[in-house]
Amino acid sequence: MGRGAKNIYIILPLALALLLANGVWGQLKNAGGPKTELFTEGYPRAFFFRQSESLTKLGYDDWNKTFNRLGGIIGKCLNEEIPERDTNIPFFTQFKLEHPGQLVMLHYNGNGRDPRDNGYKFYAGHWLYFEGVKNRSEIKEEEGICEIEVEDAGIFKTKIGRYENANEDIGICRLTEDGKPDWDYSEQVQLVSVNLKKNTIKVRRAQYGSGAKQFDAGLALVSPHVTEGPWGENNNIMWLYNHSTYCPKDKYGKTCDDILVEELVERLSSNGELACFDGVEFDVLWNEVNHATFGRKVDTNADGKGDNGIINGVNEYSAGVFNFCKQLREKIGPEKLIMADGMTSQFQRGINYLNGIESEGWPIHRDPEIKDWSGGWNRHLFWNQNAFQPAFSFINFKYIKNTELPPEGRQRLVWAVAQLLDARITHSGYTIKRPEDGIHRSIIDEFVAGGRQQKYWLGKPLGETVRIALQQNDLLKGNGTKLTDEFLKKFSGDNAIFGKDGNSIKISARNNENCVFSINKIPCDGPDLLVSVKLKCDPRRGYPEEMPRLLNVSESNNPYKLMSFVNGDWFHATFYFRDVQEKTIDLNFEMESNEPFWMKEFTVHAYPDVAYRKFENGLVLVNPSHHNYTFNISEIGGENPYYHLQATLGQDTKVNNGQKVGKTLTLQEREGMFLETKTYTK
């Protein structure tokens, strides 16, 4: 622990006492959300990510100097994933006291936790387990290591986890007379070894606060925990929460989510240890059971049989995650921000109750080629339109470990698109260091106008983002807007029913499967095609009414799927296809579930999805195509000329050279650009 950390435990209570005495705390605790700089100041709205949690070893003074230079910090301050992260609480609290205009957010794993961090006493039945097997031998009430004969030892795994050096944890529970698991009488153990020939396992008894129990032969269920991680070489594997609506209840009638909500609300309340935090961002909060199963099924309703969350045809795990988001919002109130990962369709769909999403990587952290350009746009715009207000989504610039960093132009493309999507931006994993920086690490030039080192330098937007393709001729010549017979004849699908409904087309499935259909012979004039359409749908039966549905779109010569969410409000979705070779293509659609949905204002444009946005002090441009594109800067206009930024040492001095921009500017393929004016609006 650094010098500042030792002193801050003494200083912090005194500071809080003074604030309380002066009536300042009541103002500060409600100073988050739209009152902070990341809502009120100009663009780029940048902040520091989890570097802030791991560098408190510097001591408070040096740590504060490093992280007070942007719009806020986000990091782990509880021990649900990494031990002793609660030592960060005094740092983050003092930071908020000194910088009330900056955002301070808790980073928290939404899937599960280190079972050693169980201060809120989750019930044994609150965790996810794989379908278990019965014990063939008696399990005596004794501690230490013992050997248990089971029906099938092959379901238990050793050398698992991120580093392939962990063994599974196991829950053992009594079986009722009708053969159902009874987690009221249970024990937690650690797997030591597996003997497949003898069908036995060796386990370490009475772990994680559970006592040793007696189980007669054939009357216990032995079930491996569903886990993830460990997210650090010295960390523990994490047990997964049972978010399902069928999660077993403890003796007080509470589910896993009831306990988790109580914990977070208590800690973030005005009397809690995280009172001054502006909210919480959930890492990896899945929409479905989606973990390493080794061919096993997960039992979410505690009936002893694997179901992977699907009960009577409904994904009750998905519905449960949605209800968790709803319950947390209702309990925590409107003042605190709540976000969660949302960079693919596999993550939560807490629309209406969360303020927004983190795009870990953009479009996703496995896509440095930017294949999912349209999915990235649709996800962010959908959340902007439907999120609990005020909307707050952000892009975390990172790609998965061992992925080569994209070229500088493509990096700028990601930073630039954040400005066009009203997204906040942070940079994770690729911090630039120079020897002369010491602890004060370099900030990306585009975030602070290079040599100016001025945050929010772009100022406020002068208008909405302009997507140039949508201004071009519609190759359908208005038939997709007028819904002419010529356009309707393009629809086909054995499982789909089509019909005009006012100024829109109503589409539904003939059976209980997903609605799959095509729109054929869409004219092209390659290599670029942008499809624009407005969508809405009925909710899925058996799911929360507000929960959106997923639409995937692909073209006949490329199976790669572009996605959009759809709900009961009209949403303008776009699908951008690059490197189109044919004169016509067929568009293939797959709508989640069979309930009706509607399309209107369908247009197609043979043009790259290039875009720009004007700001008080600059201009941001993007070219996502696979070829160069020349912007007409004179036509885009502005009273002041534009200039390239002046790069700082070690960054892109070739592009950010401080030179004046001429009448046109050519961006390379998949490149973004930030330009500034020399007259700044404060």
Side-chain angles (χ1 to χ4, degrees):
M1 185 179 296
R3 166 179 51 84
K6 294 178 181 177
N7 294 332
I8 200 167
Y9 281 104
I10 300 172
I11 296 170
L12 180 60
L14 295 175
L16 288 173
L18 288 172
L19 287 167
L20 286 166
N22 291 301
V24 177
W25 182 250
Q27 301 174 38
L28 178 59
K29 71 178 182 179
N30 293 318
K35 298 179 183 177
T36 57
E37 295 173 7
L38 292 177
F39 287 91
T40 61
E41 296 294 331
Y43 291 54
R45 292 175 169 177
F47 63 96
F48 288 104
F49 197 60
R50 290 183 58 189
Q51 300 96 329
S52 58
E53 94 187 39
S54 58
L55 290 178
T56 53
K57 60 187 177 183
L58 299 172
Y60 182 77
D61 291 343
D62 288 337
W63 178 85
N64 177 49
K65 290 176 182 176
T66 300
F67 293 110
N68 68 9
R69 296 174 296 156
L70 292 175
I73 55 176
I74 184 172
K76 288 197 174 295
C77 293
L78 296 175
N79 303 328
E80 91 290 351
E81 184 173 310
I82 303 175
E84 299 184 1
R85 277 298 191 256
D86 58 352
T87 60
N88 290 338
I89 294 175
F91 281 78
F92 278 57
T93 300
Q94 185 69 13
F95 185 91
K96 184 65 176 182
L97 298 178
E98 294 182 5
H99 313 290
Q102 294 203 32
L103 198 74
V104 173
M105 292 288 294
L106 173 69
H107 188 274
Y108 197 84
N109 193 302
N111 278 348
R113 72 200 297 147
D114 182 338
R116 299 171 299 182
D117 178 42
N118 195 15
Y120 277 74
K121 301 300 181 185
F122 286 85
Y123 169 57
H126 285 163
W127 310 105
L128 285 180
Y129 299 91
F130 291 112
E131 182 177 321
V133 293
K134 290 182 181 180
N135 62 322
R136 286 179 172 170
S137 62
E138 178 189 14
I139 304 173
K140 295 182 179 180
E141 187 178 341
E142 58 187 17
E143 297 187 0
I145 294 177
C146 79
E147 187 173 51
I148 306 172
E149 184 180 359
V150 295
E151 290 178 328
D152 180 9
I155 73 165
F156 301 97
K157 306 299 177 183
T158 60
K159 297 182 180 180
I160 65 165
R162 189 181 192 188
Y163 306 100
E164 299 182 348
N165 61 358
N167 292 350
E168 289 187 316
D169 289 329
I170 298 170
I172 305 176
C173 73
R174 179 173 55 192
L175 288 171
T176 61
E177 291 183 359
D178 59 356
K180 298 296 177 63
D182 176 13
W183 288 105
D184 289 335
Y185 187 89
S186 63
E187 179 185 346
Q188 300 295 334
V189 302
Q190 292 175 332
L191 180 63
V192 175
S193 63
V194 178
N195 188 322
L196 296 177
K197 290 184 178 180
K198 294 172 59 179
N199 246 354
T200 61
I201 57 174
K202 284 186 178 180
V203 299
R204 185 173 290 107
R205 302 287 303 279
Q207 298 298 298
Y208 306 111
S210 69
K213 301 287 194 306
Q214 170 78 26
F215 298 95
D216 294 334
L219 296 180
L221 189 69
V222 187
S223 306
H225 274 272
V226 184
T227 61
E228 68 176 30
W231 304 118
E233 294 186 18
N234 299 318
N235 299 345
N236 204 56
I237 56 175
M238 299 182 62
W239 295 358
L240 273 291
Y241 300 124
N242 188 347
H243 287 301
S244 169
T245 60
Y246 279 78
C247 174
K249 296 179 179 180
D250 63 17
K251 62 183 179 181
Y252 303 107
K254 294 181 179 180
T255 66
C256 171
D257 286 348
D258 293 333
I259 301 296
L260 183 55
V261 167
E262 286 179 7
E263 174 187 11
L264 291 169
V265 170
E266 179 179 331
R267 285 177 153 161
L268 288 162
S269 70
S270 59
N271 297 317
E273 59 194 321
L274 308 179
C276 71
F277 281 55
D278 294 306
V280 58
E281 194 278 322
F282 289 107
D283 189 31
V284 288
L285 182 57
W286 294 105
N287 176 60
E288 54 196 29
V289 175
N290 186 22
H291 299 276
T293 63
F294 302 99
R296 301 170 295 183
K297 283 190 174 183
V298 179
D299 177 15
T300 64
N301 64 354
D303 65 354
K305 300 178 181 179
D307 51 60
N308 285 342
I310 310 299
I311 312 293
N312 298 322
V314 174
N315 188 338
E316 296 291 352
Y317 185 87
S318 173
V321 170
F322 185 92
N323 288 336
F324 165 70
C325 297
K326 179 179 180 180
Q327 183 181 358
L328 179 60
R329 171 59 68 194
E330 291 173 345
K331 297 287 186 181
I332 210 167
E335 296 295 331
K336 298 290 186 181
L337 296 172
I338 311 173
M339 290 97 75
D341 278 359
M343 59 275 197
T344 73
S345 60
Q346 294 175 327
F347 290 95
Q348 55 70 39
R349 303 189 192 179
I351 297 288
N352 301 108
Y353 299 105
L354 304 189
N355 297 91
I357 59 171
E358 173 192 353
S359 286
E360 190 174 307
W362 198 90
I364 57 176
H365 61 347
R366 298 179 183 272
D367 187 17
E369 299 298 320
I370 321 290
K371 294 180 180 179
D372 192 38
W373 171 264
S374 296
W377 274 82
N378 289 337
R379 286 189 294 274
H380 273 264
L381 292 178
F382 187 84
W383 275 86
N384 288 354
Q385 177 176 313
N386 293 282
F388 188 88
Q389 296 300 306
F392 185 112
S393 292
F394 68 94
I395 293 172
N396 180 3
F397 182 79
K398 64 178 292 189
Y399 293 99
I400 59 172
K401 191 175 182 180
N402 300 326
T403 298
E404 184 177 352
L405 193 62
E408 290 174 327
R410 207 179 305 161
Q411 294 180 52
R412 283 196 304 274
L413 178 65
V414 174
W415 308 332
V417 81
Q419 317 315 311
L420 276 55
L421 291 173
D422 291 309
R424 283 71 175 174
I425 183 76
T426 188
H427 197 274
S428 176
Y430 304 110
T431 304
I432 296 171
K433 300 179 182 177
R434 301 194 309 263
E436 61 271 27
D437 289 332
I439 60 168
H440 305 308
R441 301 169 177 213
S442 296
I443 299 174
I444 300 302
D445 279 338
E446 282 73 11
F447 295 0
V448 289
R452 278 183 176 268
Q453 292 295 292
Q454 179 180 341
K455 61 182 180 179
Y456 315 124
W457 64 272
L458 277 169
K460 301 294 178 63
L462 296 179
E464 298 298 322
T465 295
V466 177
R467 300 175 73 176
I468 298 177
L470 298 178
Q471 299 175 336
Q472 310 305 308
N473 291 334
D474 172 19
L475 297 187
L476 292 175
K477 301 178 181 178
N479 288 326
T481 300
K482 300 174 185 176
L483 304 183
T484 62
D485 291 340
E486 179 183 350
F487 178 65
L488 293 175
K489 289 178 182 178
K490 294 180 179 293
F491 285 74
S492 66
D494 294 338
N495 184 38
I497 303 171
F498 313 102
K500 288 182 67 173
D501 185 3
N503 63 347
S504 64
I505 300 173
K506 181 179 179 180
I507 307 164
S508 57
R510 295 181 184 275
N511 54 31
N512 291 328
E513 298 177 356
N514 288 352
C515 185
V516 178
F517 66 98
S518 298
I519 305 179
N520 303 307
K521 296 188 180 301
I522 296 296
C524 306
D525 191 13
D528 301 282
L529 188 74
L530 184 70
V531 176
S532 171
V533 61
K534 289 186 177 179
L535 307 161
K536 75 172 184 178
C537 70
D538 278 350
R540 297 173 69 186
R541 285 182 292 274
Y543 291 82
E545 184 176 355
E546 310 98 323
M547 192 172 176
R549 291 163 62 187
L550 173 67
L551 174 68
N552 283 316
V553 182
S554 61
E555 60 107 340
S556 50
N557 298 306
N558 188 343
Y560 189 87
K561 295 179 180 179
L562 307 179
M563 66 152 288
S564 177
F565 287 123
V566 188
N567 66 5
D569 297 320
W570 286 110
F571 173 66
H572 181 196
T574 54
F575 304 95
Y576 176 43
F577 301 98
R578 292 171 279 202
D579 305 318
V580 178
Q581 302 295 323
E582 307 297 330
K583 293 296 183 182
T584 65
I585 60 171
D586 298 336
L587 294 179
N588 303 314
F589 294 77
E590 182 174 3
M591 185 67 173
E592 189 176 54
S593 194
N594 66 336
E595 291 80 10
F597 75 103
W598 290 261
M599 289 183 170
K600 70 176 182 178
E601 299 178 26
F602 192 101
T603 62
V604 296
H605 310 271
Y607 208 79
D609 193 18
V610 293
Y612 67 86
R613 195 175 193 184
K614 295 169 64 176
F615 295 84
E616 292 172 319
N617 303 320
L619 176 67
V620 178
L621 311 136
V622 296
N623 173 23
S625 73
H626 289 167
H627 52 82
N628 295 351
Y629 180 84
T630 299
F631 286 88
N632 188 330
I633 301 299
S634 296
E635 187 175 289
I636 291 173
E639 296 181 3
N640 298 313
Y642 293 111
Y643 296 81
H644 290 281
L645 303 180
Q646 184 63 62
T648 57
L649 183 64
Q651 299 200 40
D652 192 349
T653 56
K654 181 178 180 181
V655 169
N656 292 333
N657 55 22
Q659 298 298 307
K660 184 178 179 180
V661 177
K663 294 182 179 180
T664 62
L665 178 64
T666 299
L667 266 61
Q668 305 298 308
E669 61 95 19
R670 289 174 292 178
E671 183 177 24
M673 191 70 66
F674 289 71
L675 305 176
E676 66 174 337
T677 61
K678 294 300 184 182
T679 302
Y680 272 70
T681 301
K682 296 293 185 181

